[in-house]
Amino acid sequence: MEKKYSILLYYCYAKVEDFEAYREEHHLFCIENNLRGRIIISPEGLNGTVSGLKEDCEKYMEYVKSDSRFADTEFKVEPHDQMAFAKLHVRVKPEIVHSSLRHINPREKTGGYVEPEDFRKILEEQPEDTVILDVRSNYEHNVGRFKNALTLDIDNFRDFPEKVKELDHLKGKKVVTYCTGGIKCEKASAYLLEQGFENVYQLHGGIIKYGIEAEGKDFEGKCYVFDNRITADVNKVNPTIVSRCHITGEPTDRMVNCANPECNAHIPMSEEAGWLMDGCCSEECRNNPARRPYDGTGYYQKNTNHYNPIKGVKREPAKID
């Protein structure tokens, strides 16, 4: 049965001078077309995950590409059986992905693209002179990663430059980076080039595009995503489970956020353990009076005012009834 909804994942590095005005216009378009999701608009471009009916998502892609600044935006489109978000957030931020690499413009310098089918061959052959480098955070690669990939012990992408200092021994090798949708790799690969790595590439479109175009072969576990699904299936050829339940230690690829909002840790947790612990990672969190009601999903909507770090303006989250 054909799924009625789509989930769009995309980014585009482009100069945006009228970011406040464009935010208002962009926000209005999404409301008028019944779209939900998280969209970041910044002076350096766009980044978003959007969900809606298939036909509304098609209108949205046309709308984005109709602006000459974003004409070459590449959308990763996944069919889904329902909305992947409960609300719409369109925010202005200094960067489209939080990093400590604001000086890098991927339009000027970035690693070469490796298309999904070529990346699949690299995974199958595992050449000795090639390193597959995961540039995502711990909670992401702990639930899923490519076979034999090198992972980094980082809690946030902004910690990536510090970790690169530990990779000097790889400067003579071909380094192929990857992330969820490609956005982090644009800057990560550029930074590696800046630090003296000469043979640097990136998986074009990230894990999601690889799953769509190359069936996800040799991606172990699930892909952490930033919508209500929390994790998504990628591998249609040889799927495995690599993560273990935070409570029981049993294999599971089910991810939750701790129900204690003061913790909110991203952890693997089986369905049984989730109900046993009321969605919490520890007894301490379980006994916290601020604990949120657990509904079996481990996903919680934020209900906060949002601060515009460029203009210093607070605004209420946009809502769709």
Side-chain angles (χ1 to χ4, degrees):
M1 184 174 177
E2 185 178 359
K3 296 181 178 180
K4 294 182 178 181
Y5 293 85
S6 295
I7 301 174
L8 310 178
L9 178 66
Y10 72 95
Y11 68 88
C12 182
Y13 283 99
K15 189 175 182 179
V16 183
E17 295 180 341
D18 58 339
F19 46 83
E20 274 289 355
Y22 186 64
R23 192 218 79 91
E24 300 300 326
E25 174 197 318
H26 203 111
H27 181 217
L28 181 60
F29 182 92
C30 290
I31 290 176
E32 291 176 342
N33 289 278
N34 306 305
L35 297 163
R36 302 176 188 174
R38 294 192 184 104
I39 301 165
I40 296 172
I41 296 172
S42 92
E44 68 174 11
L46 297 177
N47 176 20
T49 307
V50 173
S51 73
L53 289 169
K54 183 179 178 181
E55 53 268 31
D56 292 331
C57 285
E58 289 174 351
K59 291 178 187 176
Y60 179 76
M61 289 187 283
E62 291 175 4
Y63 164 72
V64 171
K65 289 188 172 186
S66 69
D67 189 315
S68 60
R69 296 172 295 185
F70 316 122
D72 60 354
T73 301
E74 181 176 289
F75 288 89
K76 275 73 74 176
V77 184
E78 297 181 272
H80 200 45
D81 52 7
Q82 60 185 344
M83 279 282 195
F85 292 92
K87 299 179 181 179
L88 169 69
H89 298 280
V90 185
R91 298 170 175 140
V92 169
K93 293 191 176 183
E95 302 172 276
I96 57 176
V97 62
H98 188 37
S99 74
S100 48
L101 302 171
R102 294 190 193 180
H103 66 288
I104 289 177
N105 180 355
R107 288 282 191 178
E108 298 175 353
K109 175 175 65 176
T110 193
Y113 290 137
V114 175
E115 296 303 324
E117 283 297 340
D118 293 326
F119 188 79
R120 176 172 173 160
K121 293 176 183 177
I122 292 174
L123 291 174
E124 291 171 343
E125 297 169 2
Q126 289 292 319
E128 291 185 4
D129 65 342
T130 301
V131 175
I132 307 299
L133 178 61
D134 192 322
V135 305
R136 300 172 303 152
S137 304
N138 290 328
Y139 65 88
E140 296 173 271
H141 63 66
N142 282 342
V143 75
R145 52 193 176 268
F146 282 110
K147 182 178 70 176
N148 297 326
L150 174 62
T151 59
L152 303 176
D153 182 14
I154 57 176
D155 292 324
N156 296 284
F157 182 54
R158 61 178 177 270
D159 300 326
F160 176 77
E162 189 65 27
K163 276 294 173 180
V164 169
K165 296 176 183 178
E166 301 175 9
L167 304 179
D168 277 358
H169 62 289
L170 302 178
K171 285 188 174 178
K173 292 182 178 289
K174 177 180 180 179
V175 178
V176 184
T177 68
Y178 74 86
C179 59
T180 306
I183 186 171
K184 293 177 181 177
C185 286
E186 297 281 10
K187 287 197 172 185
S189 62
Y191 184 73
L192 289 170
L193 290 168
E194 188 177 88
Q195 297 305 303
F197 291 78
E198 296 181 355
N199 203 4
V200 181
Y201 297 84
Q202 57 183 305
L203 172 58
H204 189 198
I207 299 165
I208 299 301
K209 183 176 180 178
Y210 181 80
I212 294 171
E213 297 187 6
E215 299 185 297
K217 187 174 186 289
D218 290 330
F219 184 83
E220 300 175 332
K222 288 191 176 184
C223 181
Y224 190 97
V225 292
F226 300 89
D227 57 58
N228 289 15
R229 296 173 296 170
I230 303 181
T231 60
D233 291 320
V234 171
N235 193 329
K236 303 176 185 66
V237 180
N238 54 349
T240 58
I241 297 176
V242 298
S243 52
R244 292 184 175 273
C245 177
H246 181 77
I247 302 299
T248 67
E250 295 297 314
T252 183
D253 52 15
R254 181 177 178 272
M255 288 288 288
V256 304
N257 292 333
C258 178
N260 175 10
E262 297 173 8
C263 172
N264 206 45
H266 306 289
I267 52 173
M269 184 180 288
S270 68
E271 187 171 355
E272 180 183 1
W275 289 113
L276 179 68
M277 295 296 293
D278 293 319
C280 293
C281 68
S282 67
E283 284 295 335
E284 182 181 0
C285 285
R286 190 182 182 195
N287 293 323
N288 190 303
R291 175 171 60 85
R292 299 169 289 200
Y294 179 66
D295 66 359
T297 66
Y299 182 86
Y300 306 96
Q301 291 291 335
K302 292 182 179 179
N303 186 22
T304 58
N305 289 338
H306 299 291
Y307 181 74
N308 180 333
I310 295 177
K311 293 287 189 177
V313 176
K314 286 185 178 179
R315 57 166 63 94
E316 291 292 330
K319 297 180 181 179
I320 299 180
D321 295 327

